C-alpha cells in the first residue's frame, strides 16, 4: 500500500500500543491536537487520555517523567514537537536515560523512544532548523535512528518501541507528506542494518533521512550520464552498519557522504574515519563530505538554500571522487 | 511511644552516622575517591521518612544518598563496596557514592545533576498510577534544587496529573556555599514554592526523627489514598562540609554557627527523649554503639577484601543486547 511517512509512523505507534499496554505516547499536543504534524491522528479517540498525554511546554519535565516511567516498567514514546526543543531535555536524555543502566550496574534501564522531526524545513529560522543527530550519536547508551522512507519509518519505529534501550528517532518535517510503498500486515525493520537503496558500481553515496531523497535524485541524473551510483542508507546512525557501507566502498572504491548537519564534528566525519580505518586500501579517491554549512540557519531563502546540501553540491562531490571535475 | 518502636530508629541513624564517619576515614586513606557528600546531621530525615513507607514504595535521591540507601535497607557491605569502587558494590563499582542504586529494594538511585531527578520521581509515580498500583514515591533533594526549572516542571506535572509523589526537601540552608537567602527570592520557608503549584506542603523539624516520622505517616497515608503529590520541607543542617573537599566551616559558615547547630544533633535528641522517658538505658546505647561499630567494620572489611571490577566490565551494561 502507498502511504505517507506520517501515516507510517501513525500505524507503527498504533500497532505497538495495541500490542503492548505498557506503551504510551506523551508530548506537546499529541492528544486533542493530534500532534503538531498530525502523526498521532486518532490516538486519543482510540487509546484515551490515560495513554495519550498532552503535556505543558516543559520538555525536561515530561521527558524526565518518561524516563522515570520507563525505569518503573513502562514503555514511553516521547514526542518532541521538534528536536530543537529536545535541547531542553538533554539533561534527561544524556544524564539519565542513556546512563542509568550503566551507572546502576545493570539494575535499571530506560526502554523508551524519543521521536520527532529534526533538520530544516523551509525558512523556519535558526532555532527551528538544525540537525542534531551527531550530538545524540556521541552519547554511549543511546541508539539513533533516522529513517527516510515510509517503509523504514514504520518498521524501524516498531523495532524501536520494542527495543529495551533508549532510542532517539529522528524524523523530518519535509518527509511527513512523502509517500512510499509499505507492505501489508505486520513487519519490522531491524535496528542497525543499512540498506542499499540503489545499486551501482561507480561510486558509493551514503545519505540518510531527507538527504537520502536528494542522493537518489542525483543518482538518477548521473545514471543518464552513464555513472551508476550506489546509494546506501544507514537508516540507523548508531549502531552504524559499517559492514554494508564498507562492502559498497570495496565495490566502488569511491565514497561521498551527504548529511544536512553542520560539517565540523558531523556524523559524516565519523563515517569517513570508520571507512578510512576499515577500507583504506579499497579507496581510489579521497572521501568527500557534503554537509550543511557551519552557520546558524539563516531565514532568507537564498541564504538558507546555500546552507543546505543540494543537487549541485552532491553532483560536484561525485565528480570530484570520480576525478571528473 | 515505646521502646521497640524507637530503638530501631536510633539504630538506623547510628548506623548511617558511623558508616559515614568511617567513609570519611576511608576517603582520607584513599580507599574512596571522587566526590563524597556526607549526610551527617541530616539522618533523621531519611530514617524518619522511610520509616513511614512500605518496603515496596519507591525512594529516589540526589547525590547525598548514603543515608537514604541504608535507611531503605541496603546491605552496608554492598554500599561500602560501591564507595570503594569494587565489583561487589551495589552497582558493581560503576556508580560510586553519588549513584547508589538498589533496584530490588526500589531504591531508584542517587542522581548528581541538581534538580534532574525530580522529573524521574514524577515518572515513577506516573508508572504507579498507570499500572493501578498503590505505591508512593519519596523523592529527596536539597533546597538548592528548589529554584531549578526541572524541579518546577516536576511539581507542575505531579500536581496536574495528581501523582503519588512526596517531594522531601532537605533544607540544610546552603546550596554548596550559597545560603538560601542569596539563592531563593522571597524566602521565608519553602512550602510556598510547592503551594504555588497547588501542592499541599508542610515544614517539619528535620532534626527530630519522631516529628519527621509522624508527619510523614500522615502525608504518606494521604498520598496513597487520595492520589495527590505532597511537599515536605525538613529543616536541617549539614554538620560536615558540602563534600570532602570542603571543610566543615569554610568561608561561608562560621564555626560558631556550626557548633550551635551541632547541639541539635538528631541522635542526641532521640537519645535524650528515650532516656528521659525511661525507654532505654546507657547499656542499650552502648550495645547499639557496639553493634553499629561491628556492622561498619564488617562493611569496610568486605569492601577492602573485594576485587575491583575486571576489565571486561568496562563494556558491560552500556546497552541491553
Amino acid at each position: 500500500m502507498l502511504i505517507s511517512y506520517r501515516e507510517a509512523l501513525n500505524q507503527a505507534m498504533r500497532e505497538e500500543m495495541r500490542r503492548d499496554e505498557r506503551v504510551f505516547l506523551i508530548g506537546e499536543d499529541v492528544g486533542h491536537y493530534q500532534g503538531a504534524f498530525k502523526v498521532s491522528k486518532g490516538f486519543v479517540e482510540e487509546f484515551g487520555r490515560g495513554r495519550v498525554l498532552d503535556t505543558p511546554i516543559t520538555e525536561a519535565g515530561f521527558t524526565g517523567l518518561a524516563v522515570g516511567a520507563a525505569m518503573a516498567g513502562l514503555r514511553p514514546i516521547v514526542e518532541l514537537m521538534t528536536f530543537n526543543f529536545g535541547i531542553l531535555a538533554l539533561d534527561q536524555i544524556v544524564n539519565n536515560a542513556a546512563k542509568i543502566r550503566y551507572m546502576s550496574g545493570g539494575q535499571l534501564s530506560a526502554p523508551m523512544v524519543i521521536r520527532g522531526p529534526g533538520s530544516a524545513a523551509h525558512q523556519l529560522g535558526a532555532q527551528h532548523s538544525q540537525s542534531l543527530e551527531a550530538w545524540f550519536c556521541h552519547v554511549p547508551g543511546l541508539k539513533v535512528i533516522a529513517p527516510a522512507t515510509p517503509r523504514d519509518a514504520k518498521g524501524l519505529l516498531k523495532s524501536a518501541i520494542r527495543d529495551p534501550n533508549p532510542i532517539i528517532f529522528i524524523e523530518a518535517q519535509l518527509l511527513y507528506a512523502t509517500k512510499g510503498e509499505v507492505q501489508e500486515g505486520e513487519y519490522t525493520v531491524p535496528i542497525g542494518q543499512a540498506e542499499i537503496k540503489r545499486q551501482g558500481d561507480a561510486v558509493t553515496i551514503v545519505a540518510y533521512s531527507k538527504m537520502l531523497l536528494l542522493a537518489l535524485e542525483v543518482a538518477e541524473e548521473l545514471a543518464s550520464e552513464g555513472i551508476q551510483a550506489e546509494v546506501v542508507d544507514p537508516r540507523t546512525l548508531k549502531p552504524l552498519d559499517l559492514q554494508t557501507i564498507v562492502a559498497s566502498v570495496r565495490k566502488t572504491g569511491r565514497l561521498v557522504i551527504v548529511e544536512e548537519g553542520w560539517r565540523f564534528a558531523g556524523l559524516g566525519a565519523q563515517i569517513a574515519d570508520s571507512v578510512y580505518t576499515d577500507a583504506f586500501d579499497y579507496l581510489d579517491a579521497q572521501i568527500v563530505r557534503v554537509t550543511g554549512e557551519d552557520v546558524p540557519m539563516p531565514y532568507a531563502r537564498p541564504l538558507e538554500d546555500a546552507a543546505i546540501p543540494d543537487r549541485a553540491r552532491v553532483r560536484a562531490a561525485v565528480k570530484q571522487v570520480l576525478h571528473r571535475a | 511511644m515505646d521502646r521497640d518502636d524507637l530503638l530501631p530508629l536510633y539504630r538506623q541513624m547510628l548506623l548511617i552516622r558511623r558508616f559515614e564517619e568511617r567513609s570519611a576515614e576511608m576517603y582520607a586513606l584513599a580507599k574512596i575517591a571522587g566526590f563524597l557528600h556526607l549526610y551527617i546531621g541530616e539522618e533523621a530525615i531519611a530514617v524518619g521518612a522511610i520509616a513511614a513507607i512500605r518496603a515496596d514504595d519507591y525512594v529516589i535521591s540526589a547525590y547525598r544518598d548514603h543515608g537514604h540507601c541504608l535507611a531503605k535497607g541496603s546491605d552496608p557491605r554492598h554500599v561500602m563496596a560501591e564507595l570503594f569502587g569494587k565489583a561487589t558494590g551495589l552497582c558493581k563499582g560503576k556508580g560510586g557514592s553519588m549513584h547508589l542504586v538498589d533496584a530490588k529494594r526500589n531504591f531508584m538511585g542517587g542522581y548528581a545533576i541538581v534538580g534532574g531527578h525530580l522529573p524521574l520521581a514524577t515518572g515513577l509515580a506516573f508508572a504507579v498510577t498507570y499500572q493501578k498500583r498503590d505505591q508512593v514515591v519519596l523523592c529527596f533533594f536539597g533546597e538548592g534544587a528548589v529554584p531549578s526549572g526541572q524541579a518546577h516542571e516536576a511539581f507542575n506535572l505531579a500536581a496536574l496529573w495528581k501523582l503519588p509523589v512526596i517531594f522531601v526537601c532537605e533544607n540544610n540552608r546552603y546550596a554548596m556555599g550559597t545560603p538560601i537567602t542569596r539563592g531563593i527570592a522571597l524566602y521565608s520557608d519553602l512550602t510556598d514554592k510547592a503551594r504555588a503549584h497547588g501542592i499541599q506542603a508542610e515544614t517539619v523539624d528535620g532534626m527530630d526523627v519522631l516529628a519527621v516520622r509522624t508527619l510523614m505517616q500522615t502525608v504518606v497515608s494521604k498520598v496513597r489514598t487520595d492520589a495527590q503529590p505532597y511537599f515536605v520541607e525538613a529543616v536541617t543542617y549539614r554538620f560536615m562540609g558540602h563534600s570532602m573537599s570542603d571543610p566543615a566551616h569554610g568561608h561561608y559558615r562560621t564555626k560558631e554557627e556550626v557548633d550551635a547547630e551541632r547541639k541539635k544533633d538528631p541522635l542526641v535528641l532521640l537519645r535524650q527523649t528515650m532516656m528521659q522517658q525511661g525507654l532505654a538505658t546507657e547499656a542499650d546505647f552502648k550495645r547499639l554503639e557496639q553493634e553499629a561499630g561491628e556492622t561498619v567494620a564488617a562493611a569496610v572489611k568486605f569492601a577492602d577484601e573485594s576485587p575491583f571490577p575486571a576489565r571486561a566490565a568496562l563494556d558491560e551494561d552500556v546497552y541491553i543486547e
Side-chain angles (χ1 to χ4, degrees):
Chain A
M1 59 185 164
L2 188 70
I3 64 170
S4 69
Y5 188 97
R6 169 186 290 118
E7 174 63 17
L9 296 168
N10 180 291
Q11 287 182 9
M13 291 196 293
R14 192 186 291 272
E15 289 173 16
E16 292 308 301
M17 285 178 70
R18 284 174 183 165
R19 190 184 63 81
D20 186 347
E21 281 280 329
R22 299 171 301 171
V23 180
F24 67 97
L25 177 65
I26 179 170
E28 291 152 9
D29 280 324
V30 296
H32 295 286
Y33 195 91
Q34 310 192 100
F37 300 99
K38 306 297 177 202
V39 172
S40 51
K41 192 174 174 193
F43 271 47
V44 81
E45 291 81 356
E46 175 167 354
F47 300 107
R49 289 177 61 183
R51 293 180 72 192
V52 183
L53 292 115
D54 285 325
T55 67
I57 306 171
T58 54
E59 284 80 8
F62 69 74
T63 305
L65 182 146
V67 178
M71 285 163 51
L74 301 185
R75 294 290 186 121
I77 304 170
V78 174
E79 177 171 307
L80 295 172
M81 192 179 285
T82 76
F83 265 93
N84 306 292
F85 317 145
I87 295 172
L88 288 158
L90 272 183
D91 176 45
Q92 291 300 336
I93 297 169
V94 175
N95 278 315
N96 293 336
K99 292 176 184 163
I100 190 57
R101 181 160 185 85
Y102 197 81
M103 291 198 302
S104 68
Q107 295 178 77
L108 298 174
S109 57
M112 63 193 296
V113 177
I114 300 167
R115 50 156 290 271
S119 77
H122 286 308
Q123 291 187 275
L124 300 183
Q127 294 184 341
H128 279 67
S129 315
Q130 51 200 335
S131 299
L132 304 175
E133 57 272 16
W135 291 17
F136 297 106
C137 284
H138 197 61
V139 181
L142 299 178
K143 293 183 181 180
V144 183
I145 298 172
T149 67
R151 182 173 60 88
D152 289 343
K154 181 174 178 183
L156 279 163
L157 184 52
K158 284 169 69 78
S159 292
I161 293 167
R162 296 179 191 186
D163 196 275
N165 298 285
I167 296 200
I168 304 296
F169 192 94
I170 303 175
E171 302 152 11
Q173 284 180 53
L174 296 184
L175 289 177
Y176 285 133
T178 59
K179 292 195 170 170
E181 276 299 327
V182 170
Q183 63 218 68
E184 300 279 348
E186 172 72 29
Y187 77 96
T188 58
V189 171
I191 294 169
Q193 279 188 18
E195 186 176 63
I196 295 171
K197 287 290 203 285
R198 185 187 191 284
Q199 302 271 350
D201 54 13
V203 56
T204 299
I205 305 176
V206 169
Y208 57 89
S209 190
K210 218 168 74 191
M211 291 295 110
L212 175 77
L213 307 191
L214 177 68
L216 288 169
E217 278 177 38
V218 172
E220 287 310 311
E221 284 178 19
L222 292 167
S224 65
E225 299 166 31
I227 299 167
Q228 293 299 337
E230 179 145 295
V231 179
V232 180
D233 178 4
R235 304 192 289 188
T236 300
L237 307 182
K238 189 180 190 177
L240 184 68
D241 178 4
L242 193 60
Q243 214 177 352
T244 299
I245 296 171
V246 164
S248 177
V249 170
R250 285 182 176 188
K251 184 168 70 171
T252 65
R254 298 163 204 278
L255 176 61
V256 169
I257 305 164
V258 189
E259 64 183 308
E260 189 175 320
W262 292 305
R263 183 173 191 82
F264 192 87
L267 196 70
Q270 177 59 55
I271 296 173
D273 174 74
S274 298
V275 171
Y276 278 130
T277 303
D278 283 22
F280 184 76
D281 292 342
Y282 295 88
L283 285 167
D284 295 322
Q286 183 186 331
I287 297 169
V288 172
R289 294 173 60 206
V290 182
T291 72
E293 295 296 314
D294 279 332
V295 296
M297 192 62 72
Y299 165 71
R301 187 61 189 261
L303 293 180
E304 183 183 65
D305 287 345
I308 300 172
D310 60 8
R311 280 195 302 220
R313 265 169 283 169
V314 178
R315 279 179 64 90
V318 169
K319 295 293 176 72
Q320 189 184 336
V321 298
L322 290 168
H323 308 300
R324 292 195 204 166
Chain B
M1 287 200 286
D2 69 47
R3 174 188 163 86
D4 294 342
D5 184 37
L6 300 193
L7 270 183
L9 298 178
Y10 189 86
R11 180 185 285 121
Q12 275 201 319
M13 290 201 295
L14 186 66
L15 171 66
I16 296 168
R17 177 70 57 90
R18 298 296 174 250
F19 182 95
E20 290 207 305
E21 287 167 350
R22 283 303 295 279
S23 301
E25 289 171 31
M26 293 301 113
Y27 195 88
L29 293 173
K31 295 281 187 184
I32 299 173
F35 291 128
L36 185 73
H37 305 88
L38 300 179
Y39 195 55
I40 293 176
E42 308 185 32
E43 297 92 337
I45 305 171
V47 170
I50 292 169
I53 60 171
R54 296 193 318 229
D56 68 333
D57 287 328
Y58 288 108
V59 170
I60 187 166
S61 178
Y63 50 83
R64 197 179 302 284
D65 58 350
H66 311 156
H68 312 105
C69 188
L70 290 169
K72 195 73 170 75
S74 296
D75 185 332
R77 295 177 308 154
H78 297 130
V79 181
M80 188 63 84
E82 187 61 31
L83 303 191
F84 275 51
K86 295 298 184 73
T88 55
L90 280 178
C91 306
K92 301 180 188 168
K94 284 178 169 171
S97 162
M98 301 191 289
H99 304 302
L100 300 173
V101 172
D102 195 347
K104 66 177 180 293
R105 290 185 175 79
N106 278 355
F107 180 70
M108 303 302 276
Y111 296 82
I113 304 296
V114 172
H117 71 293
L118 279 78
L120 298 182
T122 63
L124 297 171
F126 176 85
V128 166
T129 305
Y130 189 94
Q131 294 171 329
K132 300 184 170 58
R133 295 183 270 135
D134 74 339
Q135 292 141 295
V136 301
V137 179
L138 282 195
C139 175
F140 294 93
F141 53 94
E143 89 294 337
V146 170
S148 78
Q150 295 212 60
H152 286 272
E153 294 188 15
F155 295 157
N156 182 58
L157 286 169
L160 193 65
W161 294 345
K162 303 189 186 326
L163 302 176
V165 53
I166 303 160
F167 297 105
V168 182
C169 176
E170 302 176 322
N171 179 3
N172 67 23
R173 294 164 40 191
Y174 292 88
M176 211 164 100
T178 301
I180 190 164
T181 48
R182 290 206 290 122
I184 295 181
L186 300 174
Y187 172 67
S188 56
D189 70 63
L190 291 170
T191 56
D192 55 349
K193 306 296 179 196
R195 288 200 193 97
H197 294 276
I199 297 177
Q200 287 190 64
E202 293 193 46
T203 296
V204 67
D205 177 1
M207 298 311 223
D208 182 348
V209 68
L210 297 177
V212 173
R213 189 181 62 168
T214 302
L215 173 65
M216 290 302 293
Q217 282 168 336
T218 310
V219 167
V220 167
S221 156
K222 272 190 199 170
V223 169
R224 206 186 298 284
T225 51
D226 300 351
Q228 59 165 325
Y230 219 100
F231 181 100
V232 172
E233 175 191 19
V235 179
T236 185
Y237 198 80
R238 146 165 73 66
F239 291 175
M240 312 297 280
H242 168 73
S243 70
M244 291 303 290
S245 56
D246 175 34
H249 44 85
H251 299 293
Y252 60 94
R253 310 194 295 194
T254 62
K255 185 171 183 307
E256 292 68 33
E257 178 183 304
V258 176
D259 288 345
E261 292 293 337
R262 276 181 167 275
K263 295 205 173 84
K264 303 175 195 162
D265 190 322
L267 278 98
V268 173
L269 186 66
L270 180 60
R271 184 186 171 121
Q272 280 169 353
T273 305
M274 292 182 73
M275 294 284 275
Q276 280 160 10
Q277 303 199 6
L279 296 173
T281 62
E282 284 294 346
D284 289 320
F285 291 111
K286 202 172 165 188
R287 184 174 51 78
L288 288 176
E289 191 66 65
Q290 190 183 346
E291 203 182 278
E294 283 166 9
T295 304
V296 172
V300 168
K301 185 168 187 291
F302 175 81
D304 206 29
E305 290 174 355
S306 289
F308 281 109
R311 171 63 178 77
L314 182 66
D315 301 317
E316 289 169 4
D317 292 324
V318 180
Y319 294 96
I320 301 177
E321 297 303 330

